[in-house]
PDB file of all heavy atoms in Angstrom:
ATOM      1  N   ARG A  83       7.538 -10.826  -8.182  1.00  0.00           N
ATOM      2  CA  ARG A  83       6.093 -10.825  -7.943  1.00  0.00           C
ATOM      3  C   ARG A  83       5.824 -11.412  -6.561  1.00  0.00           C
ATOM      4  O   ARG A  83       6.235 -12.531  -6.278  1.00  0.00           O
ATOM      5  CB  ARG A  83       5.406 -11.689  -9.021  1.00  0.00           C
ATOM      6  CG  ARG A  83       3.924 -11.936  -8.808  1.00  0.00           C
ATOM      7  CD  ARG A  83       3.126 -10.685  -9.143  1.00  0.00           C
ATOM      8  NE  ARG A  83       1.696 -10.952  -9.036  1.00  0.00           N
ATOM      9  CZ  ARG A  83       0.914 -11.184 -10.083  1.00  0.00           C
ATOM     10  NH1 ARG A  83       1.401 -11.203 -11.296  1.00  0.00           N
ATOM     11  NH2 ARG A  83      -0.382 -11.394  -9.900  1.00  0.00           N
ATOM     12  N   LEU A  88       0.397  -8.714  -1.990  1.00  0.00           N
ATOM     13  CA  LEU A  88      -0.827  -8.234  -2.651  1.00  0.00           C
ATOM     14  C   LEU A  88      -2.068  -8.675  -1.875  1.00  0.00           C
ATOM     15  O   LEU A  88      -3.015  -7.915  -1.694  1.00  0.00           O
ATOM     16  CB  LEU A  88      -0.933  -8.811  -4.066  1.00  0.00           C
ATOM     17  CG  LEU A  88      -0.223  -8.114  -5.214  1.00  0.00           C
ATOM     18  CD1 LEU A  88      -0.628  -8.763  -6.530  1.00  0.00           C
ATOM     19  CD2 LEU A  88      -0.561  -6.623  -5.247  1.00  0.00           C
ATOM     20  N   ASP A  91      -2.448  -6.650   1.062  1.00  0.00           N
ATOM     21  CA  ASP A  91      -2.900  -5.307   0.669  1.00  0.00           C
ATOM     22  C   ASP A  91      -4.415  -5.274   0.425  1.00  0.00           C
ATOM     23  O   ASP A  91      -5.109  -4.393   0.932  1.00  0.00           O
ATOM     24  CB  ASP A  91      -2.185  -4.862  -0.611  1.00  0.00           C
ATOM     25  CG  ASP A  91      -0.674  -4.707  -0.431  1.00  0.00           C
ATOM     26  OD1 ASP A  91      -0.207  -4.658   0.716  1.00  0.00           O
ATOM     27  OD2 ASP A  91       0.034  -4.649  -1.469  1.00  0.00           O
ATOM     28  N   VAL A  92      -4.924  -6.226  -0.356  1.00  0.00           N
ATOM     29  CA  VAL A  92      -6.349  -6.153  -0.718  1.00  0.00           C
ATOM     30  C   VAL A  92      -7.261  -6.565   0.443  1.00  0.00           C
ATOM     31  O   VAL A  92      -8.456  -6.273   0.424  1.00  0.00           O
ATOM     32  CB  VAL A  92      -6.699  -6.973  -1.990  1.00  0.00           C
ATOM     33  CG1 VAL A  92      -5.894  -6.497  -3.188  1.00  0.00           C
ATOM     34  CG2 VAL A  92      -6.545  -8.467  -1.766  1.00  0.00           C
ATOM     35  N   PRO A 118       4.789  -2.680  -4.001  1.00  0.00           N
ATOM     36  CA  PRO A 118       5.880  -3.568  -4.417  1.00  0.00           C
ATOM     37  C   PRO A 118       6.853  -2.945  -5.410  1.00  0.00           C
ATOM     38  O   PRO A 118       7.765  -3.629  -5.863  1.00  0.00           O
ATOM     39  CB  PRO A 118       5.121  -4.717  -5.092  1.00  0.00           C
ATOM     40  CG  PRO A 118       3.893  -4.076  -5.653  1.00  0.00           C
ATOM     41  CD  PRO A 118       3.551  -2.916  -4.761  1.00  0.00           C
ATOM     42  N   PHE A 119       6.680  -1.682  -5.759  1.00  0.00           N
ATOM     43  CA  PHE A 119       7.439  -1.163  -6.905  1.00  0.00           C
ATOM     44  C   PHE A 119       8.568  -0.199  -6.538  1.00  0.00           C
ATOM     45  O   PHE A 119       9.136   0.447  -7.411  1.00  0.00           O
ATOM     46  CB  PHE A 119       6.481  -0.510  -7.916  1.00  0.00           C
ATOM     47  CG  PHE A 119       5.466  -1.473  -8.478  1.00  0.00           C
ATOM     48  CD1 PHE A 119       4.108  -1.180  -8.444  1.00  0.00           C
ATOM     49  CD2 PHE A 119       5.867  -2.684  -9.009  1.00  0.00           C
ATOM     50  CE1 PHE A 119       3.171  -2.075  -8.945  1.00  0.00           C
ATOM     51  CE2 PHE A 119       4.943  -3.588  -9.507  1.00  0.00           C
ATOM     52  CZ  PHE A 119       3.590  -3.290  -9.471  1.00  0.00           C
ATOM     53  N   CYS A 166       3.995   5.352 -11.703  1.00  0.00           N
ATOM     54  CA  CYS A 166       3.816   4.612 -12.960  1.00  0.00           C
ATOM     55  C   CYS A 166       3.752   5.597 -14.132  1.00  0.00           C
ATOM     56  O   CYS A 166       3.603   6.802 -13.939  1.00  0.00           O
ATOM     57  CB  CYS A 166       2.552   3.763 -12.908  1.00  0.00           C
ATOM     58  SG  CYS A 166       1.029   4.700 -12.838  1.00  0.00           S
ATOM     59  N   ASP A 167       3.842   5.049 -15.352  1.00  0.00           N
ATOM     60  CA  ASP A 167       3.732   5.896 -16.537  1.00  0.00           C
ATOM     61  C   ASP A 167       2.262   6.057 -16.937  1.00  0.00           C
ATOM     62  O   ASP A 167       1.359   5.560 -16.251  1.00  0.00           O
ATOM     63  CB  ASP A 167       4.604   5.326 -17.680  1.00  0.00           C
ATOM     64  CG  ASP A 167       4.107   3.958 -18.169  1.00  0.00           C
ATOM     65  OD1 ASP A 167       2.955   3.567 -17.864  1.00  0.00           O
ATOM     66  OD2 ASP A 167       4.892   3.274 -18.862  1.00  0.00           O
ATOM     67  N   GLU A 168       2.031   6.730 -18.064  1.00  0.00           N
ATOM     68  CA  GLU A 168       0.647   7.021 -18.481  1.00  0.00           C
ATOM     69  C   GLU A 168      -0.146   5.757 -18.811  1.00  0.00           C
ATOM     70  O   GLU A 168      -1.377   5.776 -18.867  1.00  0.00           O
ATOM     71  CB  GLU A 168       0.651   7.955 -19.699  1.00  0.00           C
ATOM     72  CG  GLU A 168       1.324   7.336 -20.910  1.00  0.00           C
ATOM     73  CD  GLU A 168       1.608   8.342 -22.006  1.00  0.00           C
ATOM     74  OE1 GLU A 168       0.941   9.401 -22.051  1.00  0.00           O
ATOM     75  OE2 GLU A 168       2.513   8.084 -22.828  1.00  0.00           O
ATOM     76  N   ASP A 169       0.553   4.639 -19.041  1.00  0.00           N
ATOM     77  CA  ASP A 169      -0.150   3.375 -19.303  1.00  0.00           C
ATOM     78  C   ASP A 169      -0.404   2.578 -18.025  1.00  0.00           C
ATOM     79  O   ASP A 169      -0.918   1.453 -18.073  1.00  0.00           O
ATOM     80  CB  ASP A 169       0.661   2.526 -20.291  1.00  0.00           C
ATOM     81  CG  ASP A 169       0.750   3.202 -21.654  1.00  0.00           C
ATOM     82  OD1 ASP A 169      -0.272   3.791 -22.066  1.00  0.00           O
ATOM     83  OD2 ASP A 169       1.830   3.176 -22.270  1.00  0.00           O
ATOM     84  N   GLY A 170       0.002   3.127 -16.896  1.00  0.00           N
ATOM     85  CA  GLY A 170      -0.278   2.458 -15.621  1.00  0.00           C
ATOM     86  C   GLY A 170       0.763   1.439 -15.216  1.00  0.00           C
ATOM     87  O   GLY A 170       0.498   0.613 -14.334  1.00  0.00           O
ATOM     88  N   TYR A 171       1.938   1.494 -15.834  1.00  0.00           N
ATOM     89  CA  TYR A 171       2.993   0.518 -15.503  1.00  0.00           C
ATOM     90  C   TYR A 171       4.202   1.199 -14.884  1.00  0.00           C
ATOM     91  O   TYR A 171       4.648   2.251 -15.368  1.00  0.00           O
ATOM     92  CB  TYR A 171       3.453  -0.240 -16.750  1.00  0.00           C
ATOM     93  CG  TYR A 171       2.388  -1.153 -17.305  1.00  0.00           C
ATOM     94  CD1 TYR A 171       1.740  -0.835 -18.498  1.00  0.00           C
ATOM     95  CD2 TYR A 171       2.029  -2.320 -16.633  1.00  0.00           C
ATOM     96  CE1 TYR A 171       0.741  -1.672 -19.001  1.00  0.00           C
ATOM     97  CE2 TYR A 171       1.034  -3.152 -17.127  1.00  0.00           C
ATOM     98  CZ  TYR A 171       0.406  -2.820 -18.311  1.00  0.00           C
ATOM     99  OH  TYR A 171      -0.579  -3.628 -18.801  1.00  0.00           O
ATOM    100  N   TYR A 172       4.743   0.562 -13.850  1.00  0.00           N
ATOM    101  CA  TYR A 172       6.035   0.983 -13.302  1.00  0.00           C
ATOM    102  C   TYR A 172       7.132   0.405 -14.191  1.00  0.00           C
ATOM    103  O   TYR A 172       6.937  -0.659 -14.817  1.00  0.00           O
ATOM    104  CB  TYR A 172       6.196   0.477 -11.862  1.00  0.00           C
ATOM    105  CG  TYR A 172       5.308   1.231 -10.890  1.00  0.00           C
ATOM    106  CD1 TYR A 172       3.956   0.928 -10.762  1.00  0.00           C
ATOM    107  CD2 TYR A 172       5.822   2.266 -10.124  1.00  0.00           C
ATOM    108  CE1 TYR A 172       3.138   1.637  -9.891  1.00  0.00           C
ATOM    109  CE2 TYR A 172       5.010   2.984  -9.248  1.00  0.00           C
ATOM    110  CZ  TYR A 172       3.670   2.656  -9.136  1.00  0.00           C
ATOM    111  OH  TYR A 172       2.868   3.373  -8.284  1.00  0.00           O
ATOM    112  N   GLN A 175       7.849  -3.285 -14.226  1.00  0.00           N
ATOM    113  CA  GLN A 175       6.849  -4.216 -14.778  1.00  0.00           C
ATOM    114  C   GLN A 175       7.101  -4.526 -16.247  1.00  0.00           C
ATOM    115  O   GLN A 175       6.450  -5.405 -16.805  1.00  0.00           O
ATOM    116  CB  GLN A 175       5.433  -3.643 -14.588  1.00  0.00           C
ATOM    117  CG  GLN A 175       5.026  -3.558 -13.126  1.00  0.00           C
ATOM    118  CD  GLN A 175       3.626  -2.986 -12.971  1.00  0.00           C
ATOM    119  OE1 GLN A 175       3.416  -1.791 -13.064  1.00  0.00           O
ATOM    120  NE2 GLN A 175       2.648  -3.849 -12.755  1.00  0.00           N
ATOM    121  N   VAL A 203      -1.784   8.731 -12.801  1.00  0.00           N
ATOM    122  CA  VAL A 203      -3.021   8.177 -13.379  1.00  0.00           C
ATOM    123  C   VAL A 203      -3.439   6.958 -12.544  1.00  0.00           C
ATOM    124  O   VAL A 203      -2.586   6.317 -11.929  1.00  0.00           O
ATOM    125  CB  VAL A 203      -2.809   7.732 -14.852  1.00  0.00           C
ATOM    126  CG1 VAL A 203      -2.482   8.921 -15.734  1.00  0.00           C
ATOM    127  CG2 VAL A 203      -1.726   6.664 -14.971  1.00  0.00           C
ATOM    128  N   PRO A 204      -4.750   6.639 -12.526  1.00  0.00           N
ATOM    129  CA  PRO A 204      -5.167   5.414 -11.824  1.00  0.00           C
ATOM    130  C   PRO A 204      -4.683   4.187 -12.594  1.00  0.00           C
ATOM    131  O   PRO A 204      -4.559   4.247 -13.826  1.00  0.00           O
ATOM    132  CB  PRO A 204      -6.708   5.496 -11.829  1.00  0.00           C
ATOM    133  CG  PRO A 204      -7.063   6.503 -12.863  1.00  0.00           C
ATOM    134  CD  PRO A 204      -5.865   7.364 -13.124  1.00  0.00           C
ATOM    135  N   TYR A 205      -4.378   3.126 -11.882  1.00  0.00           N
ATOM    136  CA  TYR A 205      -3.902   1.904 -12.556  1.00  0.00           C
ATOM    137  C   TYR A 205      -4.283   0.691 -11.718  1.00  0.00           C
ATOM    138  O   TYR A 205      -4.501   0.816 -10.502  1.00  0.00           O
ATOM    139  CB  TYR A 205      -2.374   1.965 -12.775  1.00  0.00           C
ATOM    140  CG  TYR A 205      -1.595   1.890 -11.481  1.00  0.00           C
ATOM    141  CD1 TYR A 205      -1.223   0.664 -10.941  1.00  0.00           C
ATOM    142  CD2 TYR A 205      -1.256   3.033 -10.766  1.00  0.00           C
ATOM    143  CE1 TYR A 205      -0.548   0.583  -9.738  1.00  0.00           C
ATOM    144  CE2 TYR A 205      -0.578   2.967  -9.571  1.00  0.00           C
ATOM    145  CZ  TYR A 205      -0.228   1.733  -9.058  1.00  0.00           C
ATOM    146  OH  TYR A 205       0.423   1.660  -7.858  1.00  0.00           O
ATOM    147  N   PRO A 206      -4.377  -0.474 -12.346  1.00  0.00           N
ATOM    148  CA  PRO A 206      -4.738  -1.669 -11.573  1.00  0.00           C
ATOM    149  C   PRO A 206      -3.502  -2.312 -10.941  1.00  0.00           C
ATOM    150  O   PRO A 206      -2.439  -2.339 -11.562  1.00  0.00           O
ATOM    151  CB  PRO A 206      -5.335  -2.600 -12.628  1.00  0.00           C
ATOM    152  CG  PRO A 206      -4.677  -2.197 -13.905  1.00  0.00           C
ATOM    153  CD  PRO A 206      -4.309  -0.734 -13.796  1.00  0.00           C
ATOM    154  N   ILE A 207      -3.645  -2.833  -9.748  1.00  0.00           N
ATOM    155  CA  ILE A 207      -2.572  -3.649  -9.176  1.00  0.00           C
ATOM    156  C   ILE A 207      -2.500  -4.936 -10.007  1.00  0.00           C
ATOM    157  O   ILE A 207      -3.462  -5.276 -10.724  1.00  0.00           O
ATOM    158  CB  ILE A 207      -2.828  -3.970  -7.687  1.00  0.00           C
ATOM    159  CG1 ILE A 207      -4.106  -4.804  -7.505  1.00  0.00           C
ATOM    160  CG2 ILE A 207      -2.900  -2.684  -6.867  1.00  0.00           C
ATOM    161  CD1 ILE A 207      -4.270  -5.360  -6.104  1.00  0.00           C
ATOM    162  N   PRO A 208      -1.375  -5.653  -9.974  1.00  0.00           N
ATOM    163  CA  PRO A 208      -1.308  -6.884 -10.774  1.00  0.00           C
ATOM    164  C   PRO A 208      -2.485  -7.805 -10.421  1.00  0.00           C
ATOM    165  O   PRO A 208      -2.690  -8.120  -9.248  1.00  0.00           O
ATOM    166  CB  PRO A 208       0.039  -7.485 -10.335  1.00  0.00           C
ATOM    167  CG  PRO A 208       0.852  -6.309  -9.877  1.00  0.00           C
ATOM    168  CD  PRO A 208      -0.129  -5.368  -9.244  1.00  0.00           C
ATOM    169  N   HIS A 209      -3.280  -8.169 -11.435  1.00  0.00           N
ATOM    170  CA  HIS A 209      -4.501  -8.920 -11.127  1.00  0.00           C
ATOM    171  C   HIS A 209      -4.667 -10.146 -12.036  1.00  0.00           C
ATOM    172  O   HIS A 209      -5.774 -10.619 -12.286  1.00  0.00           O
ATOM    173  CB  HIS A 209      -5.734  -8.008 -11.179  1.00  0.00           C
ATOM    174  CG  HIS A 209      -5.951  -7.314 -12.496  1.00  0.00           C
ATOM    175  ND1 HIS A 209      -7.001  -7.639 -13.316  1.00  0.00           N
ATOM    176  CD2 HIS A 209      -5.263  -6.337 -13.111  1.00  0.00           C
ATOM    177  CE1 HIS A 209      -6.923  -6.881 -14.388  1.00  0.00           C
ATOM    178  NE2 HIS A 209      -5.880  -6.082 -14.294  1.00  0.00           N
ATOM    179  N   ASP A 210      -3.532 -10.647 -12.522  1.00  0.00           N
ATOM    180  CA  ASP A 210      -3.559 -11.827 -13.388  1.00  0.00           C
ATOM    181  C   ASP A 210      -3.273 -13.106 -12.589  1.00  0.00           C
ATOM    182  O   ASP A 210      -3.012 -14.153 -13.181  1.00  0.00           O
ATOM    183  CB  ASP A 210      -2.514 -11.679 -14.509  1.00  0.00           C
ATOM    184  CG  ASP A 210      -1.120 -11.424 -13.940  1.00  0.00           C
ATOM    185  OD1 ASP A 210      -1.029 -11.035 -12.763  1.00  0.00           O
ATOM    186  OD2 ASP A 210      -0.133 -11.616 -14.672  1.00  0.00           O
ATOM    187  N   GLY A 211      -3.343 -13.030 -11.273  1.00  0.00           N
ATOM    188  CA  GLY A 211      -3.060 -14.193 -10.431  1.00  0.00           C
ATOM    189  C   GLY A 211      -4.213 -14.482  -9.488  1.00  0.00           C
ATOM    190  O   GLY A 211      -5.324 -13.971  -9.681  1.00  0.00           O
ATOM    191  N   VAL A 213      -4.938 -13.460  -6.518  1.00  0.00           N
ATOM    192  CA  VAL A 213      -5.551 -12.302  -5.856  1.00  0.00           C
ATOM    193  C   VAL A 213      -6.513 -11.600  -6.819  1.00  0.00           C
ATOM    194  O   VAL A 213      -7.622 -11.215  -6.439  1.00  0.00           O
ATOM    195  CB  VAL A 213      -4.462 -11.330  -5.328  1.00  0.00           C
ATOM    196  CG1 VAL A 213      -5.057  -9.995  -4.920  1.00  0.00           C
ATOM    197  CG2 VAL A 213      -3.718 -11.972  -4.151  1.00  0.00           C
ATOM    198  N   GLY A 214      -6.110 -11.475  -8.092  1.00  0.00           N
ATOM    199  CA  GLY A 214      -6.988 -10.879  -9.101  1.00  0.00           C
ATOM    200  C   GLY A 214      -8.264 -11.700  -9.268  1.00  0.00           C
ATOM    201  O   GLY A 214      -9.359 -11.138  -9.404  1.00  0.00           O
ATOM    202  N   LEU A 217     -10.491 -10.948  -6.433  1.00  0.00           N
ATOM    203  CA  LEU A 217     -11.156  -9.642  -6.579  1.00  0.00           C
ATOM    204  C   LEU A 217     -12.335  -9.766  -7.557  1.00  0.00           C
ATOM    205  O   LEU A 217     -13.421  -9.248  -7.305  1.00  0.00           O
ATOM    206  CB  LEU A 217     -10.164  -8.586  -7.081  1.00  0.00           C
ATOM    207  CG  LEU A 217      -9.071  -8.147  -6.094  1.00  0.00           C
ATOM    208  CD1 LEU A 217      -8.120  -7.148  -6.759  1.00  0.00           C
ATOM    209  CD2 LEU A 217      -9.664  -7.541  -4.830  1.00  0.00           C
ATOM    210  N   ARG A 222     -14.860  -6.906  -6.878  1.00  0.00           N
ATOM    211  CA  ARG A 222     -14.035  -5.745  -6.502  1.00  0.00           C
ATOM    212  C   ARG A 222     -13.114  -5.332  -7.641  1.00  0.00           C
ATOM    213  O   ARG A 222     -12.638  -6.167  -8.410  1.00  0.00           O
ATOM    214  CB  ARG A 222     -13.201  -6.080  -5.267  1.00  0.00           C
ATOM    215  CG  ARG A 222     -14.005  -6.062  -3.984  1.00  0.00           C
ATOM    216  CD  ARG A 222     -13.120  -6.333  -2.788  1.00  0.00           C
ATOM    217  NE  ARG A 222     -11.946  -5.478  -2.770  1.00  0.00           N
ATOM    218  CZ  ARG A 222     -10.938  -5.619  -1.910  1.00  0.00           C
ATOM    219  NH1 ARG A 222     -10.974  -6.580  -1.010  1.00  0.00           N
ATOM    220  NH2 ARG A 222      -9.910  -4.804  -1.955  1.00  0.00           N
ATOM    221  N   SER A 223     -12.841  -4.028  -7.708  1.00  0.00           N
ATOM    222  CA  SER A 223     -11.950  -3.498  -8.746  1.00  0.00           C
ATOM    223  C   SER A 223     -10.502  -3.594  -8.285  1.00  0.00           C
ATOM    224  O   SER A 223     -10.200  -3.361  -7.115  1.00  0.00           O
ATOM    225  CB  SER A 223     -12.304  -2.024  -9.001  1.00  0.00           C
ATOM    226  OG  SER A 223     -11.233  -1.386  -9.656  1.00  0.00           O
ATOM    227  N   PRO A 224      -9.582  -3.906  -9.218  1.00  0.00           N
ATOM    228  CA  PRO A 224      -8.156  -3.895  -8.845  1.00  0.00           C
ATOM    229  C   PRO A 224      -7.530  -2.501  -8.898  1.00  0.00           C
ATOM    230  O   PRO A 224      -6.343  -2.354  -8.616  1.00  0.00           O
ATOM    231  CB  PRO A 224      -7.534  -4.803  -9.923  1.00  0.00           C
ATOM    232  CG  PRO A 224      -8.415  -4.613 -11.117  1.00  0.00           C
ATOM    233  CD  PRO A 224      -9.817  -4.363 -10.587  1.00  0.00           C
ATOM    234  N   PHE A 225      -8.302  -1.471  -9.263  1.00  0.00           N
ATOM    235  CA  PHE A 225      -7.692  -0.160  -9.499  1.00  0.00           C
ATOM    236  C   PHE A 225      -7.284   0.570  -8.217  1.00  0.00           C
ATOM    237  O   PHE A 225      -7.957   0.468  -7.192  1.00  0.00           O
ATOM    238  CB  PHE A 225      -8.624   0.733 -10.320  1.00  0.00           C
ATOM    239  CG  PHE A 225      -8.379   0.574 -11.798  1.00  0.00           C
ATOM    240  CD1 PHE A 225      -8.940  -0.496 -12.486  1.00  0.00           C
ATOM    241  CD2 PHE A 225      -7.558   1.450 -12.475  1.00  0.00           C
ATOM    242  CE1 PHE A 225      -8.694  -0.680 -13.838  1.00  0.00           C
ATOM    243  CE2 PHE A 225      -7.305   1.278 -13.829  1.00  0.00           C
ATOM    244  CZ  PHE A 225      -7.870   0.195 -14.511  1.00  0.00           C
ATOM    245  N   ARG A 226      -6.183   1.282  -8.333  1.00  0.00           N
ATOM    246  CA  ARG A 226      -5.733   2.190  -7.288  1.00  0.00           C
ATOM    247  C   ARG A 226      -6.040   3.623  -7.699  1.00  0.00           C
ATOM    248  O   ARG A 226      -6.012   3.972  -8.888  1.00  0.00           O
ATOM    249  CB  ARG A 226      -4.211   2.074  -7.090  1.00  0.00           C
ATOM    250  CG  ARG A 226      -3.764   0.737  -6.532  1.00  0.00           C
ATOM    251  CD  ARG A 226      -2.663   0.946  -5.517  1.00  0.00           C
ATOM    252  NE  ARG A 226      -3.141   1.818  -4.452  1.00  0.00           N
ATOM    253  CZ  ARG A 226      -2.370   2.573  -3.671  1.00  0.00           C
ATOM    254  NH1 ARG A 226      -1.065   2.549  -3.841  1.00  0.00           N
ATOM    255  NH2 ARG A 226      -2.895   3.342  -2.727  1.00  0.00           N
ATOM    256  N   VAL A 227      -6.320   4.463  -6.715  1.00  0.00           N
ATOM    257  CA  VAL A 227      -6.480   5.897  -6.975  1.00  0.00           C
ATOM    258  C   VAL A 227      -5.119   6.443  -7.436  1.00  0.00           C
ATOM    259  O   VAL A 227      -4.067   6.045  -6.923  1.00  0.00           O
ATOM    260  CB  VAL A 227      -6.923   6.605  -5.675  1.00  0.00           C
ATOM    261  CG1 VAL A 227      -6.964   8.117  -5.871  1.00  0.00           C
ATOM    262  CG2 VAL A 227      -8.286   6.083  -5.212  1.00  0.00           C
ATOM    263  N   ALA A 228      -5.146   7.364  -8.414  1.00  0.00           N
ATOM    264  CA  ALA A 228      -3.908   7.948  -8.959  1.00  0.00           C
ATOM    265  C   ALA A 228      -3.069   8.550  -7.833  1.00  0.00           C
ATOM    266  O   ALA A 228      -3.591   9.294  -6.990  1.00  0.00           O
ATOM    267  CB  ALA A 228      -4.273   9.040  -9.970  1.00  0.00           C
ATOM    268  N   HIS A 229      -1.788   8.217  -7.844  1.00  0.00           N
ATOM    269  CA  HIS A 229      -0.927   8.659  -6.731  1.00  0.00           C
ATOM    270  C   HIS A 229       0.532   8.726  -7.164  1.00  0.00           C
ATOM    271  O   HIS A 229       0.942   8.089  -8.140  1.00  0.00           O
ATOM    272  CB  HIS A 229      -1.062   7.696  -5.551  1.00  0.00           C
ATOM    273  CG  HIS A 229      -0.649   6.301  -5.907  1.00  0.00           C
ATOM    274  ND1 HIS A 229      -1.534   5.381  -6.421  1.00  0.00           N
ATOM    275  CD2 HIS A 229       0.551   5.670  -5.872  1.00  0.00           C
ATOM    276  CE1 HIS A 229      -0.894   4.257  -6.674  1.00  0.00           C
ATOM    277  NE2 HIS A 229       0.384   4.400  -6.352  1.00  0.00           N
ATOM    278  N   HIS A 231       4.277   8.132  -5.226  1.00  0.00           N
ATOM    279  CA  HIS A 231       4.873   7.588  -3.992  1.00  0.00           C
ATOM    280  C   HIS A 231       6.001   8.474  -3.483  1.00  0.00           C
ATOM    281  O   HIS A 231       6.829   8.944  -4.279  1.00  0.00           O
ATOM    282  CB  HIS A 231       5.512   6.219  -4.270  1.00  0.00           C
ATOM    283  CG  HIS A 231       4.546   5.130  -4.564  1.00  0.00           C
ATOM    284  ND1 HIS A 231       4.195   4.175  -3.642  1.00  0.00           N
ATOM    285  CD2 HIS A 231       3.875   4.819  -5.693  1.00  0.00           C
ATOM    286  CE1 HIS A 231       3.351   3.320  -4.191  1.00  0.00           C
ATOM    287  NE2 HIS A 231       3.134   3.695  -5.445  1.00  0.00           N
ATOM    288  N   ASP A 251      -9.780  12.590  -8.912  1.00  0.00           N
ATOM    289  CA  ASP A 251      -9.663  11.324  -9.644  1.00  0.00           C
ATOM    290  C   ASP A 251     -10.959  10.514  -9.423  1.00  0.00           C
ATOM    291  O   ASP A 251     -11.339  10.277  -8.272  1.00  0.00           O
ATOM    292  CB  ASP A 251      -8.444  10.542  -9.107  1.00  0.00           C
ATOM    293  CG  ASP A 251      -8.286   9.183  -9.779  1.00  0.00           C
ATOM    294  OD1 ASP A 251      -9.079   8.859 -10.687  1.00  0.00           O
ATOM    295  OD2 ASP A 251      -7.379   8.447  -9.390  1.00  0.00           O
ATOM    296  N   GLN A 253     -11.517   7.565  -9.475  1.00  0.00           N
ATOM    297  CA  GLN A 253     -11.281   6.346  -8.704  1.00  0.00           C
ATOM    298  C   GLN A 253     -11.430   6.591  -7.191  1.00  0.00           C
ATOM    299  O   GLN A 253     -11.639   5.662  -6.421  1.00  0.00           O
ATOM    300  CB  GLN A 253      -9.888   5.791  -9.043  1.00  0.00           C
ATOM    301  CG  GLN A 253      -9.667   4.344  -8.677  1.00  0.00           C
ATOM    302  CD  GLN A 253     -10.649   3.370  -9.319  1.00  0.00           C
ATOM    303  OE1 GLN A 253     -11.065   3.548 -10.465  1.00  0.00           O
ATOM    304  NE2 GLN A 253     -11.053   2.358  -8.570  1.00  0.00           N
ATOM    305  N   GLY A 257     -13.174   3.880  -4.886  1.00  0.00           N
ATOM    306  CA  GLY A 257     -12.416   3.193  -3.825  1.00  0.00           C
ATOM    307  C   GLY A 257     -11.065   2.711  -4.313  1.00  0.00           C
ATOM    308  O   GLY A 257     -10.879   2.398  -5.490  1.00  0.00           O
ATOM    309  N   ASP A 258     -10.130   2.649  -3.382  1.00  0.00           N
ATOM    310  CA  ASP A 258      -8.756   2.225  -3.667  1.00  0.00           C
ATOM    311  C   ASP A 258      -8.657   0.739  -3.316  1.00  0.00           C
ATOM    312  O   ASP A 258      -9.037   0.338  -2.216  1.00  0.00           O
ATOM    313  CB  ASP A 258      -7.811   3.062  -2.790  1.00  0.00           C
ATOM    314  CG  ASP A 258      -6.350   2.813  -3.095  1.00  0.00           C
ATOM    315  OD1 ASP A 258      -5.976   2.754  -4.262  1.00  0.00           O
ATOM    316  OD2 ASP A 258      -5.575   2.671  -2.125  1.00  0.00           O
ATOM    317  N   SER A 259      -8.125  -0.058  -4.256  1.00  0.00           N
ATOM    318  CA  SER A 259      -8.155  -1.521  -4.050  1.00  0.00           C
ATOM    319  C   SER A 259      -7.345  -1.968  -2.842  1.00  0.00           C
ATOM    320  O   SER A 259      -7.546  -3.074  -2.343  1.00  0.00           O
ATOM    321  CB  SER A 259      -7.645  -2.232  -5.305  1.00  0.00           C
ATOM    322  OG  SER A 259      -6.358  -1.762  -5.646  1.00  0.00           O
ATOM    323  N   VAL A 260      -6.431  -1.104  -2.364  1.00  0.00           N
ATOM    324  CA  VAL A 260      -5.603  -1.524  -1.225  1.00  0.00           C
ATOM    325  C   VAL A 260      -5.829  -0.617  -0.004  1.00  0.00           C
ATOM    326  O   VAL A 260      -5.052  -0.664   0.944  1.00  0.00           O
ATOM    327  CB  VAL A 260      -4.114  -1.601  -1.616  1.00  0.00           C
ATOM    328  CG1 VAL A 260      -3.903  -2.612  -2.718  1.00  0.00           C
ATOM    329  CG2 VAL A 260      -3.564  -0.242  -2.044  1.00  0.00           C
TER     330      VAL A 260
END
Side-chain angles (χ1 to χ4, degrees):
R83 172 75 176 259
L88 275 187
D91 296 345
V92 301
F119 299 128
C166 66
D167 65 15
E168 62 193 338
D169 295 321
Y171 292 108
Y172 288 80
Q175 294 180 282
V203 296
Y205 68 88
I207 63 170
H209 58 111
D210 56 342
V213 167
L217 290 177
R222 284 183 51 188
S223 162
F225 270 81
R226 293 220 58 204
V227 174
H229 61 271
H231 291 258
D251 178 2
Q253 198 58 36
D258 186 44
S259 56
V260 299

